[in-house]
Every structure is written in C-alpha cells, then in structure tokens.
Amino acid sequence: MISEGHATKLALSRGLLAASAALTLLFAAGCSSSEAGNAVAADTTTASSISAAPSTTDDVSGQEGIDAGGSTDIDVEIGQCVRLGGTMTAATIENAECGSMESNYKVIAKAEQNEQCPTDVNQTYYETLDGVEQGALCLDVDWVVDGCMSVPSVGMDEPARVDCGDPSATDVEQVTEIKTGTADPNECPQGGFAYEARQFVVCTTTIS
C-alpha cells in the first residue's frame, strides 16, 4: 500500500513595533504518492549562495520537541531539516542539510496525528494510509541567524532561503536574533515572528 501525504494550512505573521503585518503561508491538504504532501515548491534558483551559517535555532528550547509516535515514509529525526516543495496537488518532501539553500523547514517534533503538533508550528506534514493518519512531522521555518529567508506575503509559495544581497529576491527577512522566554516582537528592534505557545521570537529586519 502507498501512503498519501498531506500538508496543513498554517500562517506565519510578522509582528511589528507599532503594528502587525500578516504574512501567510498557504497550504492545502490533498493526496499524492508516498512522500508527498500539498505545498508549493520553494524557489531556490538564485545564482548566488549564502555562506555557511552555523548559528541556527539549535539552542531554542521550544524546538526540542518529542517523538510521540507515528511514522512517515521520509527518514528524518527531530532537529534535522527538510525541503518541502511541489504543488498543491503533488507536494514533495526530502531531507536537506539545516542552514543550506535547499532547507526550508526544521523538524521540531513528531506525532501520531498532525493535531498533536504545537499550535504555533509553521507547518505540519502528515501521511495517511486508506484514510487513516499514520504519522506527522511538526515543522518550523529553518531560521538561521544572519541568514535571509524569502517569506512570501501573497500567493502559494513556501519560504525559501535566499542570498541577502540578491536583488531579485522578494519578501526577504534577515534574522538578527532569536529570543527565548518571550513571544513579544516588541522586544525586537524591528519586529519579528512570534511563537506564542513555545515562547520564543525570531527577530528580523525586512530587506525587501
């Protein structure tokens, strides 16, 4: 039997000092092949690449989730990263090195059902067999301090790592700091992305 992959609809909102701007990542659930979900391929076709950035979200306690069971076709552990891509009707998921140009999500927990993931994760990927959910991956954007991510504000595109100096990149946010013990973007100089349930905030500067 071939399992079917699905991705949920989740939002990523950037909090500002005096206001807030909602940047929404849209995903639609559906069926496809064994390592498939429903999401739009990330655009990592820029000619240039960023330097290796060792400072990721490895030390964020809120991302040290547990393996609560379930299984998926992709072999990935908590703390490792993936590239989620494809289209709404035929998404793909594959292993990727954290912080690399290919990576757009980090696995922060595993669960038997996607509803068991923390409520503030950026994405969940789950697989079903004969309509029964087999397992889920709880995913956050693979933020890298000093690195840049394109976080589309419209359309169906996923976040994608980009070169901070790429003039063709749009909706670019550069991570300046990751604060734990708070989810208040007002504690960031120029705002950031708050994770309310797990109490940390990714401070960013808007590049474009």
Side-chain angles (χ1 to χ4, degrees):
M1 301 293 291
I2 297 177
S3 59
E4 299 173 334
H6 307 260
T8 59
K9 292 181 179 180
L10 296 163
L12 179 62
S13 299
R14 186 179 191 277
L16 305 178
L17 293 179
S20 62
L23 304 181
T24 304
L25 307 178
L26 298 177
F27 302 94
C31 300
S32 185
S33 59
S34 61
E35 288 189 12
N38 299 286
V40 179
D43 179 12
T44 56
T45 58
T46 56
S48 56
S49 62
I50 61 172
S51 300
S55 181
T56 65
T57 51
D58 291 341
D59 297 327
V60 176
S61 60
Q63 291 191 319
E64 298 170 357
I66 62 172
D67 186 340
S71 65
T72 57
D73 288 340
I74 184 171
D75 183 14
V76 62
E77 300 300 326
I78 295 171
Q80 295 180 337
C81 294
V82 297
R83 174 183 172 88
L84 188 64
T87 66
M88 289 180 61
T89 57
T92 59
I93 188 169
E94 57 188 75
N95 299 88
E97 181 181 354
C98 292
S100 69
M101 294 298 283
E102 290 73 30
S103 170
N104 56 359
Y105 289 104
K106 171 178 283 189
V107 179
I108 64 94
K110 295 182 179 182
E112 292 183 345
Q113 297 183 345
N114 72 93
E115 290 88 353
Q116 297 170 331
C117 288
T119 57
D120 60 353
V121 293
N122 297 133
Q123 174 67 299
T124 62
Y125 173 86
Y126 63 99
E127 294 177 355
T128 60
L129 183 63
D130 294 332
V132 178
E133 193 165 341
Q134 302 296 301
L137 302 178
C138 313
L139 308 172
D140 279 352
V141 172
D142 181 25
W143 301 111
V144 174
V145 175
D146 294 329
C148 288
M149 293 290 289
S150 173
V151 185
S153 56
V154 295
M156 301 294 288
D157 290 342
E158 293 183 13
R161 197 173 314 285
V162 296
D163 189 314
C164 295
D166 183 358
S168 65
T170 58
D171 301 308
V172 178
E173 297 289 333
Q174 183 172 24
V175 180
T176 58
E177 185 181 3
I178 298 171
K179 293 178 175 287
T180 58
T182 179
D184 184 2
N186 289 295
E187 295 192 17
C188 299
Q190 298 185 42
F193 296 85
Y195 293 77
E196 294 284 348
R198 290 170 289 153
Q199 287 293 292
F200 70 93
V201 60
V202 178
C203 302
T204 64
T205 296
T206 300
I207 303 298
S208 64

